[in-house]
């Protein structure tokens, strides 16, 4: 038997998934006066949100990716002063490291592209780079500094956003798994049925468990964290070499991506793998990641690593998330598929979702993220999502 909740009244919106995206959606909707239900199978922020690096980064792979990351970064700037200290928000800036002349050319192009779009950035010579990050290897060509990029501890933020939503009246269902969502009904594994005018599907990499037709694949990532070494690095350090995809042999790839945590710990990333769906760490991937880190930061060899973990990104074929109505069920709004940028883009995603639900214009065009871009008519009555993964191997992600 199923039971209705909320005294038999429908919620305005029920959100499936309490990662940073679901939690941000819950707050944005509650702030607009909606009656919100948020359902999370585990604890808030326990999925990819807990596994991620927390680098809030403006990106330039496409105009759509730029618009979403930049808008969201600005929302983070506004949110940051109100976050608790445990969110560990710090505007560290990103240093895109150029190993050689070819990569310096890429840094210059990146700088011009950002400057045209009013993103502050600065090219650094090899000597300037060595002065601000003395632990970097010698012989590097220089770097691009993007000072407005930041670092945060994502699970704390997910919890904080959900807490604020709850203060505005949202009901939160924790430790309760969703079994199905359709036609304004969210059915939980325990039989509870939540009735809502609209449902936000924010299940991240688990999205296809509920809806196998979605154009989403799991992309595994590894991270290593060290003991505390305050001042070892000062910025988020990312190699520009990832543009060449030179370190990808079997479709797996690693890139040098290192982050200083407020605790003094160093977070070392990162790897990307399709088709590895087990949570165990893969020693050959960890070794490749660490070898890459040593190449850029030779002193890292002497630091103690205290933990290694894995997590799963929700990858789409065009590397843009799915944000907007599900063409097969008008009661469902998708907010998933954020791959390696879901911490960065969570706040903008929530605004787009809330704008859609309240019929408001958004600060940026919503079109690049609409799920309808994958629409393929199967028959006159029925539509499905078409999945063309032929471009997904080209690796232009960093996290
Ligand atoms: C190694 C790694 C590094 C990363 N680094 C960065 C970074 O530096 N910057 C950045 O912007 N992004 C980064 N990301 C990406 C980022 O972590 C994700 O894009 C983001 O966390 C996605 O948030 P989400 O809320 O969509 O998904 P999740 O956090 O996975 O949340 C989905 C939630 O749904 C819940 N759930 C699943 N099934 C059910 C069900 N049936 N019923 C109810 N609840 C359910 C899960 O328990 C989970 O809490 C990284 C990811 C990885 C793996």
């Amino acid at each position: 038997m199923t039971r209705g909740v909320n005294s038999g009244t429908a919620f305005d919106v029920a959100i499936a998934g309490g990662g940073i995206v679901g939690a941000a959606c819950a707050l944005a909707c509650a702030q607009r006066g909606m009656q919100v239900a948020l359902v999370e199978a585990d604890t808030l922020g326990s999925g990819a949100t807990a596994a991620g690096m927390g680098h809030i980064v403006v990106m330039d792979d496409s105009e759509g990716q730029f618009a979403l990351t930049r808008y969201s970064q600005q929302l983070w700037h506004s949110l940051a002063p109100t976050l608790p200290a445990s969110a560990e928000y710090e505007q560290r800036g990103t240093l895109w490291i150029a190993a050689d002349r070819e990569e310096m050319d890429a840094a210059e192009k990146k700088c011009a592209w950002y400057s045209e779009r009013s993103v502050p950035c600065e090219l650094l010579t090899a000597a300037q780079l060595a002065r601000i990050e003395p632990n970097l290897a010698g012989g590097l060509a220089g770097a691009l500094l993007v000072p407005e990029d930041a670092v945060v501890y994502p699970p704390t933020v997910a919890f904080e956003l959900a807490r604020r939503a709850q203060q505005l009246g949202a009901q939160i269902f924790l430790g309760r798994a969703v079994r199905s969502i359709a036609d304004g009904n969210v059915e939980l594994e325990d039989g509870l049925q939540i009735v809502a005018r609209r449902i936000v599907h924010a299940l991240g990499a688990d999205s296809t468990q509920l809806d196998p037709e979605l154009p989403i694949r799991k992309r595994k990532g590894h991270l290593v964290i060290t003991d505390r070494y305050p001042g070892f690095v000062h910025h988020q350090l990312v190699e520009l070499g990832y543009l060449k995809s030179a370190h990808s042999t079997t479709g797996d790839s690693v890139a040098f991506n290192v982050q200083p945590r407020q605790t003094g710990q160093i977070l070392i990333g990162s790897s990307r793998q399709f088709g590895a769906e087990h949570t165990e760490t893969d020693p050959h991937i960890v070794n490749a990641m660490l070898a890459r880190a040593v190449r850029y930061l030779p002193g890292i060899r002497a630091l103690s690593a205290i933990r290694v973990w894995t997590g799963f990104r929700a990858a789409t074929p065009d590397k843009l998330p799915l944000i907007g109505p599900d063409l097969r069920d008008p009661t469902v709004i998708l907010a998933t598929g954020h791959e390696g940028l879901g911490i960065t883009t969570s706040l903008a995603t929530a605004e787009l979702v809330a704008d859609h639900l309240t019929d408001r214009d958004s600060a940026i065009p919503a079109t690049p993220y609409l799920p309808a871009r994958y629409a393929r008519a199967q028959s006159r009555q029925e539509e499905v999502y078409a999945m063309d993964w032929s471009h997904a191997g080209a690796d232009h992600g960093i996290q």
Side-chain angles (χ1 to χ4, degrees):
M1 197 179 87
T2 57
R3 287 175 285 144
V5 292
N6 198 21
S7 318
T9 317
F11 286 92
D12 293 315
V13 59
I15 298 161
I20 197 160
V21 172
C25 289
L27 179 57
C29 290
Q31 282 171 333
R32 307 226 189 162
M34 287 179 242
Q35 283 286 317
V36 176
L38 175 63
V39 188
E40 164 56 47
D42 198 322
T43 56
L44 294 164
S46 55
T49 298
M53 246 190 164
H55 182 202
I56 297 166
V57 55
V58 62
M59 288 291 289
D60 58 354
D61 281 355
S62 63
E63 291 289 354
Q65 190 188 61
F66 171 76
L68 195 66
T69 52
R70 182 63 173 154
Y71 172 37
S72 214
Q73 188 183 61
Q74 287 163 338
L75 294 171
W76 275 103
H77 288 166
S78 308
L79 179 71
T82 73
L83 286 172
S86 55
E88 296 178 17
Y89 180 95
E90 291 184 308
Q91 198 174 308
R92 291 277 189 170
T94 305
L95 275 173
W96 295 92
I97 313 286
D100 53 28
R101 186 59 244 174
E102 189 188 348
E103 289 178 15
M104 205 57 208
D105 289 346
E108 283 163 15
K109 277 199 198 112
K110 205 173 176 66
C111 186
W113 203 89
Y114 282 154
S115 299
E116 277 165 26
R117 289 159 184 79
S118 305
V119 178
C121 57
E122 187 187 345
L123 286 165
L124 304 183
T125 62
Q128 289 170 320
L129 178 61
R131 248 194 317 278
I132 62 170
E133 290 291 357
N135 280 315
L136 277 171
L140 297 167
L144 174 67
L145 172 64
V146 184
E148 292 192 357
D149 288 351
V151 167
V152 76
Y153 185 57
T156 305
V157 179
F159 181 83
E160 175 65 13
L161 299 176
R163 189 188 68 78
R164 292 183 190 186
Q166 193 176 35
Q167 279 182 338
L168 293 172
Q171 287 192 39
I172 302 183
F173 300 83
L174 285 183
R176 317 276 291 267
V178 174
R179 180 189 291 152
S180 67
I181 53 178
D183 301 325
N185 279 294
V186 178
E187 192 184 342
L188 307 194
E189 293 286 0
D190 58 15
L192 187 77
Q193 191 157 304
I194 298 173
V195 180
R197 290 185 187 87
R198 307 300 273 278
I199 300 162
V200 176
H201 176 142
L203 296 174
D206 292 326
S207 292
T208 51
Q209 279 180 14
L210 230 61
D211 185 349
E213 278 183 4
L214 288 177
I216 287 181
R217 280 170 76 190
K218 287 188 171 188
R219 199 162 203 193
K220 187 174 180 176
H222 288 70
L223 291 176
V224 176
I225 196 155
T226 69
D227 210 337
R228 296 170 188 237
Y229 302 97
F232 183 75
V233 290
H234 306 278
H235 303 80
Q236 179 98 21
L237 304 177
V238 188
E239 63 162 293
L240 272 166
Y242 82 95
L243 290 167
K244 298 180 197 159
S245 295
H247 342 296
S248 173
T249 44
T250 58
D252 300 349
S253 66
V254 298
F256 169 67
N257 187 351
V258 160
Q259 180 180 88
R261 302 293 322 168
Q262 206 176 62
T263 53
Q265 292 171 287
I266 315 294
L267 190 49
I268 306 168
S270 60
S271 68
R272 306 164 83 79
Q273 290 171 278
F274 278 129
E277 301 215 348
H278 57 90
T279 54
E280 288 84 38
T281 54
D282 300 280
H284 73 284
I285 295 285
V286 177
N287 288 340
M289 250 167 58
L290 292 178
R292 200 89 199 136
V294 167
R295 180 169 157 190
Y296 284 85
L297 283 169
I300 221 164
R301 221 187 259 281
L303 311 189
S304 300
I306 56 170
R307 198 160 80 85
V308 184
W309 68 88
T310 63
F312 293 94
R313 311 169 182 93
T316 62
D318 64 1
K319 303 177 199 307
L320 290 175
L322 303 168
I323 309 170
D326 184 334
L327 54 97
R328 300 154 303 164
D329 180 346
T331 66
V332 175
I333 311 298
L334 298 172
T336 182
H338 294 79
E339 203 179 337
L341 289 170
I343 308 303
T344 303
T345 56
S346 53
L347 302 183
T349 298
E351 289 305 311
L352 292 178
V353 166
D355 290 339
H356 176 78
L357 292 173
T358 51
D359 242 345
R360 284 197 213 164
D361 287 340
S362 294
I364 58 169
T367 322
Y369 326 109
L370 291 177
R373 69 191 189 274
Y374 289 114
R376 180 179 64 194
Q378 195 176 35
S379 68
R380 279 210 187 115
Q381 286 76 35
E382 196 186 350
E383 287 190 299
V384 294
Y385 290 114
M387 292 187 232
D388 175 5
W389 290 92
S390 52
H391 305 293
D395 211 330
H396 294 293
I398 53 162
Q399 265 83 26

